[in-house]
Amino acid sequence: MKLAPVFIIEEYEQLKAVSDTFRTTILGHLIEMPYTGQQLAQLLALPRSKIHYHLAELEKNGFIRVVKTEVKNGIIQKFYRAVAWSFVPGERLLPHRTEVENYFREYTLNTVGRARLRTLTAPEEAFQVNSSNKEAWPRIAMQMEVHLKPEKFAGWLSRYRALLQELDAMNDPGDEESRLFYLASVGFQAEEPLFADEEEEEEDDGSNTTI
């Protein structure tokens, strides 16, 4: 099944359904690949009854669908998959500030959690250093803080998304010399600075750290 690029959340009940922590986590897995309820229960170390309840809510609200079935030991197993790569609240839902905030906060936490897991399971060669030239390293880990007007940051993100589309267009899994690379991005307004102001420090504090 080909996933749609974006699914627009139009109904308030849909927004409430996908703002749940467990459902956001399940949906994140089902964006990646199809799973059965039993597979998700094992993956998340949760009872199958709880997983099936959340799957039913996600399916009822149109976020996932059954993409195939298999019979194992006389039992029909359903494989679920997300219907889109990303899910965005529609314009008329934006006044529901709490629910929209909860959804995007859970989505961001899920992204960070998946990035941590991918880091822990990456092959050794992913972090090996073969050159002192940082520009030649096929990896990046960075933190950065900037003070900008929100519209300026949104404008920069638009250009960044265009660059990511360019990267996606370069995807060539058929090349025997190609390797699989994982990239995760989060960016949002923060409450307090994490790094000290360089003007207040005599030494470089590393506030813009890229590896």
Side-chain angles (χ1 to χ4, degrees), residues 58-118:
L58 288 170
E59 184 179 22
K60 181 178 70 175
N61 285 282
F63 296 110
I64 64 174
R65 68 180 64 166
V66 176
V67 293
K68 67 175 180 177
T69 59
E70 290 182 357
V71 179
K72 186 175 182 180
N73 299 325
I75 300 174
I76 298 177
Q77 295 185 324
K78 296 180 180 180
F79 286 79
Y80 296 89
R81 187 79 194 271
V83 300
W85 291 106
S86 63
F87 299 83
V88 180
E91 289 288 335
R92 71 188 188 92
L93 292 179
L94 296 184
H96 299 284
R97 298 173 62 91
T98 300
E99 289 82 359
V100 172
E101 175 190 337
N102 289 342
Y103 166 67
F104 280 117
R105 190 182 298 274
E106 291 297 335
Y107 184 86
T108 301
L109 286 170
N110 185 63
T111 300
V112 173
R114 297 300 291 159
R116 179 181 184 276
L117 179 61
R118 296 299 295 271

Side-chain angles (χ1 to χ4, degrees), residues 127-196:
F127 304 106
Q128 292 174 352
V129 177
N130 300 316
S131 169
S132 60
N133 178 16
K134 186 171 68 174
E135 299 301 320
W137 296 352
R139 76 181 64 82
I140 184 171
M142 59 87 64
Q143 297 182 75
M144 186 175 183
E145 290 180 343
V146 293
H147 286 83
L148 292 173
K149 292 181 178 180
E151 57 269 25
K152 284 190 175 182
F153 187 58
W156 180 87
L157 286 178
S158 178
R159 297 191 295 274
Y160 178 58
R161 291 188 183 96
L163 190 60
L164 292 178
Q165 291 178 351
E166 177 185 326
L167 179 64
D168 184 56
M170 295 165 56
N171 188 32
D172 189 8
D175 186 344
E176 294 183 357
E177 297 184 1
S178 69
R179 298 293 182 268
L180 179 64
F181 292 92
Y182 171 76
L183 182 66
S185 303
V186 298
F188 44 83
Q189 181 178 330
E191 186 69 25
E192 297 288 342
L194 177 64
F195 306 108

